[in-house]
């Protein structure tokens, strides 16, 4: 099973600040997927195939990475971006998730 | 518009059973792999099971093998999860989710979730 480690676990960012969330895999994967989950709601696909932003996601979000190291970047933090972000690998069964990064507003 | 609506959750004693359902609409259900993903209170996401479009192939995480059974009724556009021999560690919100393509292991749409609480 591929283990995903996200860092930081929690962070706070000011409006307008650039934010980078990281996800490291215990083995190399071809793609990484990211989900946004706001408190009390179901997760939403946010980024797929490492760098493709899902439909409706603001273009201030981007994804990058390869091998065992991936990241999600917000170019300019906005209030509505406060949420928990999970990475997920789908190289093979079982698909696994990282522990999440909770992003708060400073 | 894709909609996934789960039902069937509740409070159940350890060792008992439940059957969760997920009613799908807004897409051709029989063309897609489907999955169940759970989230224990205040915890992260955990994939539970997936099923192929025909139902002929099923996949489970190790901790639920032999206790959970995923199935589907394509005529009713409904996904099921039979959960038997429940344990306290199965307490979670269970989400129904769609795989975007056959054999692609991520989830493009999620339901609102249904809570399962295992307690005596």
């Amino acid at each position: 099973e591929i283990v995903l480690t996200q860092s930081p676990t929690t962070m706070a960012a000011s409006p307008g600040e650039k934010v980078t969330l990281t996800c490291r895999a215990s083995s190399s994967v071809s793609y990484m997927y990211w989900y946004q989950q706001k408190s009390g709601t179901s997760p939403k696909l946010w980024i797929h195939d490492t760098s493709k932003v899902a439909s409706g996601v603001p273009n201030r979000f981007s994804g990058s990475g390869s091998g065992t190291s991936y990241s999600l970047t917000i170019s300019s933090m906005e209030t509505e971006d406060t949420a928990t972000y999970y990475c997920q690998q789908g190289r093979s069964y079982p698909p696994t998730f990282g522990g999440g990064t909770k992003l708060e507003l400073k | 518009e894709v909609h996934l609506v789960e039902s069937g959750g509740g409070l159940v004693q350890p060792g008992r059973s439940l059957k969760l359902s997920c009613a799908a609409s807004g897409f051709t259900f029989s063309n897609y792999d489907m999955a169940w993903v759970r989230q224990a209170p205040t915890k992260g996401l955990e994939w539970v099971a997936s099923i192929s479009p025909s139902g002929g192939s099923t996949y489970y995480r190790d901790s639920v093998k032999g206790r959970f059974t995923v199935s589907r009724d394509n005529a009713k556009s409904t996904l099921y999860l039979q959960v038997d021999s429940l344990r306290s560690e199965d307490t979670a919100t269970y989400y129904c989710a769609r795989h975007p393509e056959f054999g692609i292991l991520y989830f493009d749409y999620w339901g609102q979730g249904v809570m399962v609480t295992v307690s005596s």
Side-chain angles (χ1 to χ4, degrees), chain A residues 62-93:
Chain A
S62 63
S64 64
S66 64
T68 61
S69 183
Y70 293 83
S71 62
L72 178 156
T73 299
I74 307 172
S75 60
S76 177
M77 175 74 180
E78 295 198 8
T79 303
E80 66 180 22
D81 300 336
T82 56
T84 300
Y85 294 85
Y86 293 93
C87 60
Q88 181 243 315
Q89 66 79 25
R91 193 186 77 178
S92 60
Y93 281 107

